[in-house]
mmCIF file of all heavy atoms in Angstrom:
data_model
loop_
_atom_site.group_PDB
_atom_site.id
_atom_site.type_symbol
_atom_site.label_atom_id
_atom_site.label_comp_id
_atom_site.label_asym_id
_atom_site.label_seq_id
_atom_site.Cartn_x
_atom_site.Cartn_y
_atom_site.Cartn_z
ATOM 1 N N GLN R 13 -41.406 21.107 17.310
ATOM 2 C CA GLN R 13 -40.842 21.525 18.601
ATOM 3 C C GLN R 13 -40.236 22.932 18.447
ATOM 4 O O GLN R 13 -39.604 23.236 17.430
ATOM 5 C CB GLN R 13 -39.740 20.539 19.019
ATOM 6 C CG GLN R 13 -39.301 20.718 20.459
ATOM 7 C CD GLN R 13 -38.189 19.732 20.851
ATOM 8 O OE1 GLN R 13 -37.493 19.198 20.000
ATOM 9 N NE2 GLN R 13 -38.034 19.518 22.145
ATOM 10 N N GLU R 21 -33.113 20.520 24.761
ATOM 11 C CA GLU R 21 -32.967 19.056 24.723
ATOM 12 C C GLU R 21 -31.552 18.645 24.279
ATOM 13 O O GLU R 21 -30.934 17.752 24.863
ATOM 14 C CB GLU R 21 -33.975 18.446 23.736
ATOM 15 C CG GLU R 21 -35.364 18.230 24.311
ATOM 16 C CD GLU R 21 -35.366 17.427 25.600
ATOM 17 O OE1 GLU R 21 -34.494 16.558 25.776
ATOM 18 O OE2 GLU R 21 -36.222 17.691 26.469
ATOM 19 N N SER R 51 -32.476 34.247 18.122
ATOM 20 C CA SER R 51 -32.353 35.459 18.936
ATOM 21 C C SER R 51 -31.607 35.125 20.218
ATOM 22 O O SER R 51 -31.643 33.984 20.701
ATOM 23 C CB SER R 51 -33.734 36.009 19.249
ATOM 24 O OG SER R 51 -34.314 35.218 20.259
ATOM 25 N N LYS R 72 -20.705 34.481 38.407
ATOM 26 C CA LYS R 72 -20.878 35.912 38.168
ATOM 27 C C LYS R 72 -19.636 36.527 37.508
ATOM 28 O O LYS R 72 -18.530 36.268 37.923
ATOM 29 C CB LYS R 72 -21.136 36.612 39.501
ATOM 30 C CG LYS R 72 -22.267 37.607 39.388
ATOM 31 C CD LYS R 72 -22.609 38.212 40.686
ATOM 32 C CE LYS R 72 -23.766 39.152 40.453
ATOM 33 N NZ LYS R 72 -24.251 39.629 41.688
ATOM 34 N N LEU R 82 -23.683 17.213 39.118
ATOM 35 C CA LEU R 82 -25.055 17.200 38.607
ATOM 36 C C LEU R 82 -25.971 16.640 39.682
ATOM 37 O O LEU R 82 -25.661 15.608 40.292
ATOM 38 C CB LEU R 82 -25.134 16.339 37.351
ATOM 39 C CG LEU R 82 -24.363 16.873 36.124
ATOM 40 C CD1 LEU R 82 -24.425 15.884 34.987
ATOM 41 C CD2 LEU R 82 -24.915 18.211 35.684
ATOM 42 N N ALA R 94 -29.480 6.074 29.226
ATOM 43 C CA ALA R 94 -28.583 4.936 29.012
ATOM 44 C C ALA R 94 -29.364 3.645 28.815
ATOM 45 O O ALA R 94 -29.042 2.845 27.939
ATOM 46 C CB ALA R 94 -27.635 4.796 30.188
ATOM 47 N N THR R 115 -5.611 -7.481 4.134
ATOM 48 C CA THR R 115 -4.318 -6.842 3.885
ATOM 49 C C THR R 115 -3.268 -7.937 3.766
ATOM 50 O O THR R 115 -3.515 -9.082 4.122
ATOM 51 C CB THR R 115 -3.891 -5.937 5.052
ATOM 52 O OG1 THR R 115 -3.814 -6.748 6.217
ATOM 53 C CG2 THR R 115 -4.848 -4.806 5.247
ATOM 54 N N LYS R 118 1.813 -10.033 6.516
ATOM 55 C CA LYS R 118 3.107 -9.997 7.217
ATOM 56 C C LYS R 118 3.364 -8.682 7.948
ATOM 57 O O LYS R 118 3.242 -7.598 7.408
ATOM 58 C CB LYS R 118 4.232 -10.243 6.216
ATOM 59 C CG LYS R 118 5.579 -10.357 6.876
ATOM 60 C CD LYS R 118 6.462 -11.348 6.204
ATOM 61 C CE LYS R 118 6.595 -11.184 4.718
ATOM 62 N NZ LYS R 118 7.465 -10.132 4.281
ATOM 63 N N ARG R 149 14.171 23.591 -2.152
ATOM 64 C CA ARG R 149 14.192 24.372 -3.390
ATOM 65 C C ARG R 149 12.795 24.388 -4.016
ATOM 66 O O ARG R 149 12.300 25.421 -4.452
ATOM 67 C CB ARG R 149 15.187 23.716 -4.346
ATOM 68 C CG ARG R 149 15.675 24.677 -5.412
ATOM 69 C CD ARG R 149 16.476 23.942 -6.448
ATOM 70 N NE ARG R 149 17.745 23.424 -5.957
ATOM 71 C CZ ARG R 149 18.449 22.491 -6.600
ATOM 72 N NH1 ARG R 149 18.007 21.953 -7.708
ATOM 73 N NH2 ARG R 149 19.603 22.077 -6.131
ATOM 74 N N THR R 156 1.534 29.502 -4.967
ATOM 75 C CA THR R 156 0.267 28.922 -4.487
ATOM 76 C C THR R 156 0.150 27.434 -4.792
ATOM 77 O O THR R 156 -0.777 26.784 -4.336
ATOM 78 C CB THR R 156 -0.939 29.617 -5.144
ATOM 79 O OG1 THR R 156 -0.784 29.474 -6.551
ATOM 80 C CG2 THR R 156 -1.041 31.067 -4.761
ATOM 81 N N GLN R 198 0.044 -0.276 -5.432
ATOM 82 C CA GLN R 198 -1.220 -0.792 -4.913
ATOM 83 C C GLN R 198 -2.398 0.036 -5.411
ATOM 84 O O GLN R 198 -3.436 -0.495 -5.778
ATOM 85 C CB GLN R 198 -1.180 -0.818 -3.373
ATOM 86 C CG GLN R 198 -2.194 -1.738 -2.732
ATOM 87 C CD GLN R 198 -2.059 -3.200 -3.162
ATOM 88 O OE1 GLN R 198 -0.969 -3.678 -3.449
ATOM 89 N NE2 GLN R 198 -3.166 -3.904 -3.217
ATOM 90 N N ALA R 204 -6.771 -0.026 -11.976
ATOM 91 C CA ALA R 204 -6.986 -0.972 -13.072
ATOM 92 C C ALA R 204 -8.188 -1.864 -12.762
ATOM 93 O O ALA R 204 -9.042 -2.116 -13.621
ATOM 94 C CB ALA R 204 -5.733 -1.819 -13.277
ATOM 95 N N LYS R 210 -15.717 -6.538 -12.530
ATOM 96 C CA LYS R 210 -16.974 -6.539 -11.802
ATOM 97 C C LYS R 210 -17.191 -7.966 -11.280
ATOM 98 O O LYS R 210 -16.351 -8.830 -11.522
ATOM 99 C CB LYS R 210 -18.130 -6.032 -12.655
ATOM 100 C CG LYS R 210 -18.310 -6.700 -14.001
ATOM 101 C CD LYS R 210 -19.469 -6.009 -14.704
ATOM 102 C CE LYS R 210 -20.007 -6.785 -15.862
ATOM 103 N NZ LYS R 210 -19.323 -6.683 -17.110
ATOM 104 N N PRO R 268 6.934 -14.512 -6.495
ATOM 105 C CA PRO R 268 8.149 -14.318 -5.728
ATOM 106 C C PRO R 268 9.364 -15.117 -6.240
ATOM 107 O O PRO R 268 10.421 -15.050 -5.629
ATOM 108 C CB PRO R 268 7.741 -14.891 -4.370
ATOM 109 C CG PRO R 268 6.853 -16.048 -4.722
ATOM 110 C CD PRO R 268 6.124 -15.639 -5.964
ATOM 111 N N THR R 272 12.719 -14.631 -15.134
ATOM 112 C CA THR R 272 12.500 -13.549 -16.113
ATOM 113 C C THR R 272 11.821 -14.127 -17.344
ATOM 114 O O THR R 272 12.265 -15.141 -17.895
ATOM 115 C CB THR R 272 13.860 -12.938 -16.522
ATOM 116 O OG1 THR R 272 14.504 -12.498 -15.327
ATOM 117 C CG2 THR R 272 13.683 -11.758 -17.453
ATOM 118 N N PRO R 307 18.427 -5.011 -19.732
ATOM 119 C CA PRO R 307 17.041 -5.351 -19.410
ATOM 120 C C PRO R 307 16.264 -5.675 -20.682
ATOM 121 O O PRO R 307 16.519 -5.085 -21.734
ATOM 122 C CB PRO R 307 16.501 -4.075 -18.765
ATOM 123 C CG PRO R 307 17.465 -2.998 -19.089
ATOM 124 C CD PRO R 307 18.772 -3.638 -19.458
ATOM 125 N N ALA R 349 -9.410 6.115 -17.096
ATOM 126 C CA ALA R 349 -8.490 5.965 -15.960
ATOM 127 C C ALA R 349 -8.376 7.269 -15.182
ATOM 128 O O ALA R 349 -8.340 7.276 -13.950
ATOM 129 C CB ALA R 349 -7.118 5.522 -16.460
ATOM 130 N N ASN R 357 -9.281 9.592 -5.341
ATOM 131 C CA ASN R 357 -8.730 10.551 -4.369
ATOM 132 C C ASN R 357 -8.310 11.891 -4.939
ATOM 133 O O ASN R 357 -7.633 12.650 -4.251
ATOM 134 C CB ASN R 357 -7.542 9.931 -3.630
ATOM 135 C CG ASN R 357 -6.453 9.498 -4.574
ATOM 136 O OD1 ASN R 357 -6.404 9.951 -5.708
ATOM 137 N ND2 ASN R 357 -5.576 8.636 -4.132
ATOM 138 N N ASN R 358 -8.666 12.184 -6.163
ATOM 139 C CA ASN R 358 -8.390 13.515 -6.713
ATOM 140 C C ASN R 358 -6.923 13.928 -6.722
ATOM 141 O O ASN R 358 -6.623 15.116 -6.745
ATOM 142 C CB ASN R 358 -9.204 14.563 -5.958
ATOM 143 C CG ASN R 358 -10.260 15.157 -6.872
ATOM 144 O OD1 ASN R 358 -10.113 15.111 -8.085
ATOM 145 N ND2 ASN R 358 -11.307 15.697 -6.303
ATOM 146 N N ASP R 364 5.389 16.562 -2.902
ATOM 147 C CA ASP R 364 6.052 15.265 -3.140
ATOM 148 C C ASP R 364 6.276 15.038 -4.633
ATOM 149 O O ASP R 364 7.336 14.593 -5.066
ATOM 150 C CB ASP R 364 5.197 14.111 -2.614
ATOM 151 C CG ASP R 364 5.051 14.174 -1.109
ATOM 152 O OD1 ASP R 364 5.792 14.949 -0.491
ATOM 153 O OD2 ASP R 364 4.184 13.471 -0.564
ATOM 154 N N GLN R 365 5.236 15.336 -5.398
ATOM 155 C CA GLN R 365 5.334 15.098 -6.847
ATOM 156 C C GLN R 365 6.360 16.032 -7.484
ATOM 157 O O GLN R 365 7.182 15.600 -8.297
ATOM 158 C CB GLN R 365 3.985 15.339 -7.514
ATOM 159 C CG GLN R 365 2.906 14.369 -7.079
ATOM 160 C CD GLN R 365 1.658 14.559 -7.932
ATOM 161 O OE1 GLN R 365 1.616 14.115 -9.073
ATOM 162 N NE2 GLN R 365 0.660 15.227 -7.389
ATOM 163 N N LEU R 411 18.394 -14.349 -9.699
ATOM 164 C CA LEU R 411 19.650 -13.632 -9.434
ATOM 165 C C LEU R 411 19.911 -12.468 -10.384
ATOM 166 O O LEU R 411 20.698 -11.588 -10.093
ATOM 167 C CB LEU R 411 20.837 -14.605 -9.531
ATOM 168 C CG LEU R 411 20.811 -15.770 -8.547
ATOM 169 C CD1 LEU R 411 22.035 -16.646 -8.732
ATOM 170 C CD2 LEU R 411 20.765 -15.251 -7.122
ATOM 171 N N LEU R 421 14.962 -25.842 -2.394
ATOM 172 C CA LEU R 421 15.593 -26.779 -1.452
ATOM 173 C C LEU R 421 15.708 -28.177 -2.045
ATOM 174 O O LEU R 421 14.807 -28.616 -2.773
ATOM 175 C CB LEU R 421 14.753 -26.840 -0.172
ATOM 176 C CG LEU R 421 14.558 -25.503 0.533
ATOM 177 C CD1 LEU R 421 13.444 -25.613 1.582
ATOM 178 C CD2 LEU R 421 15.855 -25.041 1.185
ATOM 179 N N ALA R 428 9.804 -26.062 3.381
ATOM 180 C CA ALA R 428 10.220 -24.676 3.606
ATOM 181 C C ALA R 428 9.543 -24.046 4.826
ATOM 182 O O ALA R 428 10.176 -23.291 5.572
ATOM 183 C CB ALA R 428 9.920 -23.863 2.353
ATOM 184 N N TYR R 473 27.770 -7.546 6.266
ATOM 185 C CA TYR R 473 28.115 -8.187 7.539
ATOM 186 C C TYR R 473 26.883 -8.946 8.074
ATOM 187 O O TYR R 473 26.973 -10.107 8.492
ATOM 188 C CB TYR R 473 28.578 -7.115 8.544
ATOM 189 C CG TYR R 473 28.682 -7.656 9.939
ATOM 190 C CD1 TYR R 473 29.794 -8.411 10.327
ATOM 191 C CD2 TYR R 473 27.633 -7.476 10.855
ATOM 192 C CE1 TYR R 473 29.861 -8.957 11.593
ATOM 193 C CE2 TYR R 473 27.695 -8.013 12.124
ATOM 194 C CZ TYR R 473 28.816 -8.753 12.493
ATOM 195 O OH TYR R 473 28.871 -9.304 13.745
ATOM 196 N N MET R 491 18.358 -34.819 7.676
ATOM 197 C CA MET R 491 18.057 -34.688 6.246
ATOM 198 C C MET R 491 17.847 -36.107 5.693
ATOM 199 O O MET R 491 18.810 -36.855 5.582
ATOM 200 C CB MET R 491 19.212 -34.008 5.498
ATOM 201 C CG MET R 491 19.683 -32.726 6.158
ATOM 202 S SD MET R 491 18.486 -31.414 6.017
ATOM 203 C CE MET R 491 19.488 -29.999 6.450
#
Side-chain angles (χ1 to χ4, degrees):
Q13 192 181 21
E21 277 307 328
S51 76
K72 225 175 181 172
L82 294 175
T115 59
K118 186 144 51 77
R149 201 189 292 164
T156 58
Q198 200 59 32
K210 52 182 196 278
T272 304
N357 58 19
N358 248 337
D364 295 347
Q365 295 188 77
L411 299 181
L421 302 166
Y473 168 79
M491 310 290 195

